[in-house]
Amino acid sequence: MARMHTRRRGSSSSDKPVADEPPEWSDVDEDAIEARVVELAEDGLSPSEIGLKLRDEGVQGTPVPDVKLATGRKITEILEENDADPELPEDLANLFERAVRLREHMDEHPGDHQNKRALQNTESKIRRLVDYYRGDELDEEFTYSYDVAKEYLE
């Protein structure tokens, strides 16, 4: 599939191996994994960072290669059940952060046309995602602006 704002195609990468159950060497209790996920979320980590932390450090010294295989639920589902889910979806928050960073750069360097285009593309992606999340994750009246993005990131 082609990329959104260029004519190039995406580069292929390896897929995760198909597995129905966690590996034998990773025998961590589900409750311990859930407690660690909630603990890491309270420390301010995003769901993807939590997954990396569990993969690298694990729970009680035992790595957890895939939380969904070990617990039967995704990290975001665990966070929702324990009322520790982030205020914004992670992909939207990352785009907000990028848009704010690009806007601040444009304030300092108004002649940077390449970054002006990057900002336009990023804000286009944000508006598309806001339409997708409106009603479920976001309020019905939510509209994107630079000030709103800056408030969410503070």
PDB file of all heavy atoms in Angstrom, residues 5 9 37 90 94 99 123 125:
ATOM      1  N   HIS A   5       1.092  10.668   1.983  1.00  0.00           N
ATOM      2  CA  HIS A   5       1.427  11.964   1.398  1.00  0.00           C
ATOM      3  C   HIS A   5       2.610  11.907   0.449  1.00  0.00           C
ATOM      4  O   HIS A   5       3.229  12.928   0.179  1.00  0.00           O
ATOM      5  CB  HIS A   5       1.690  12.983   2.500  1.00  0.00           C
ATOM      6  CG  HIS A   5       0.467  13.301   3.298  1.00  0.00           C
ATOM      7  ND1 HIS A   5      -0.641  13.917   2.751  1.00  0.00           N
ATOM      8  CD2 HIS A   5       0.156  13.072   4.587  1.00  0.00           C
ATOM      9  CE1 HIS A   5      -1.569  14.069   3.679  1.00  0.00           C
ATOM     10  NE2 HIS A   5      -1.120  13.557   4.803  1.00  0.00           N
ATOM     11  N   ARG A   9       5.977   3.683  -1.991  1.00  0.00           N
ATOM     12  CA  ARG A   9       5.325   2.596  -1.266  1.00  0.00           C
ATOM     13  C   ARG A   9       6.062   2.363   0.044  1.00  0.00           C
ATOM     14  O   ARG A   9       7.231   2.686   0.166  1.00  0.00           O
ATOM     15  CB  ARG A   9       5.328   1.328  -2.104  1.00  0.00           C
ATOM     16  CG  ARG A   9       4.525   1.490  -3.368  1.00  0.00           C
ATOM     17  CD  ARG A   9       4.431   0.184  -4.102  1.00  0.00           C
ATOM     18  NE  ARG A   9       3.762   0.390  -5.374  1.00  0.00           N
ATOM     19  CZ  ARG A   9       2.509   0.103  -5.600  1.00  0.00           C
ATOM     20  NH1 ARG A   9       1.759  -0.392  -4.656  1.00  0.00           N
ATOM     21  NH2 ARG A   9       1.979   0.308  -6.773  1.00  0.00           N
ATOM     22  N   VAL A  37       1.456  -3.675  34.287  1.00  0.00           N
ATOM     23  CA  VAL A  37       0.975  -2.788  33.222  1.00  0.00           C
ATOM     24  C   VAL A  37       0.378  -1.525  33.831  1.00  0.00           C
ATOM     25  O   VAL A  37       0.674  -0.404  33.403  1.00  0.00           O
ATOM     26  CB  VAL A  37      -0.055  -3.516  32.331  1.00  0.00           C
ATOM     27  CG1 VAL A  37      -0.811  -2.533  31.458  1.00  0.00           C
ATOM     28  CG2 VAL A  37       0.629  -4.563  31.468  1.00  0.00           C
ATOM     29  N   GLU A  90      -2.998   6.913  21.591  1.00  0.00           N
ATOM     30  CA  GLU A  90      -1.558   7.123  21.458  1.00  0.00           C
ATOM     31  C   GLU A  90      -1.168   7.696  20.105  1.00  0.00           C
ATOM     32  O   GLU A  90      -0.323   8.595  20.027  1.00  0.00           O
ATOM     33  CB  GLU A  90      -0.843   5.791  21.689  1.00  0.00           C
ATOM     34  CG  GLU A  90       0.651   5.915  21.726  1.00  0.00           C
ATOM     35  CD  GLU A  90       1.318   4.595  22.029  1.00  0.00           C
ATOM     36  OE1 GLU A  90       0.624   3.574  22.144  1.00  0.00           O
ATOM     37  OE2 GLU A  90       2.545   4.599  22.138  1.00  0.00           O
ATOM     38  N   ASN A  94       0.736  11.342  19.604  1.00  0.00           N
ATOM     39  CA  ASN A  94       2.023  11.469  18.912  1.00  0.00           C
ATOM     40  C   ASN A  94       1.939  12.505  17.788  1.00  0.00           C
ATOM     41  O   ASN A  94       2.878  13.286  17.587  1.00  0.00           O
ATOM     42  CB  ASN A  94       2.466  10.119  18.347  1.00  0.00           C
ATOM     43  CG  ASN A  94       2.866   9.150  19.431  1.00  0.00           C
ATOM     44  OD1 ASN A  94       3.192   9.538  20.538  1.00  0.00           O
ATOM     45  ND2 ASN A  94       2.819   7.870  19.115  1.00  0.00           N
ATOM     46  N   ALA A  99       2.920  18.013  15.637  1.00  0.00           N
ATOM     47  CA  ALA A  99       2.382  19.265  15.105  1.00  0.00           C
ATOM     48  C   ALA A  99       2.829  20.457  15.944  1.00  0.00           C
ATOM     49  O   ALA A  99       3.190  21.510  15.397  1.00  0.00           O
ATOM     50  CB  ALA A  99       0.860  19.196  15.045  1.00  0.00           C
ATOM     51  N   GLU A 123      -1.156  17.975  10.168  1.00  0.00           N
ATOM     52  CA  GLU A 123      -2.473  18.455  10.588  1.00  0.00           C
ATOM     53  C   GLU A 123      -3.591  17.785   9.797  1.00  0.00           C
ATOM     54  O   GLU A 123      -4.678  17.569  10.321  1.00  0.00           O
ATOM     55  CB  GLU A 123      -2.535  19.977  10.463  1.00  0.00           C
ATOM     56  CG  GLU A 123      -1.688  20.656  11.522  1.00  0.00           C
ATOM     57  CD  GLU A 123      -1.741  22.166  11.466  1.00  0.00           C
ATOM     58  OE1 GLU A 123      -2.125  22.720  10.410  1.00  0.00           O
ATOM     59  OE2 GLU A 123      -1.406  22.796  12.477  1.00  0.00           O
ATOM     60  N   LYS A 125      -3.471  14.643   8.795  1.00  0.00           N
ATOM     61  CA  LYS A 125      -3.603  13.334   9.452  1.00  0.00           C
ATOM     62  C   LYS A 125      -4.356  13.470  10.769  1.00  0.00           C
ATOM     63  O   LYS A 125      -5.178  12.610  11.119  1.00  0.00           O
ATOM     64  CB  LYS A 125      -2.223  12.730   9.712  1.00  0.00           C
ATOM     65  CG  LYS A 125      -1.497  12.284   8.480  1.00  0.00           C
ATOM     66  CD  LYS A 125      -0.130  11.751   8.846  1.00  0.00           C
ATOM     67  CE  LYS A 125       0.692  11.449   7.613  1.00  0.00           C
ATOM     68  NZ  LYS A 125       2.032  10.949   7.947  1.00  0.00           N
TER      69      LYS A 125
END
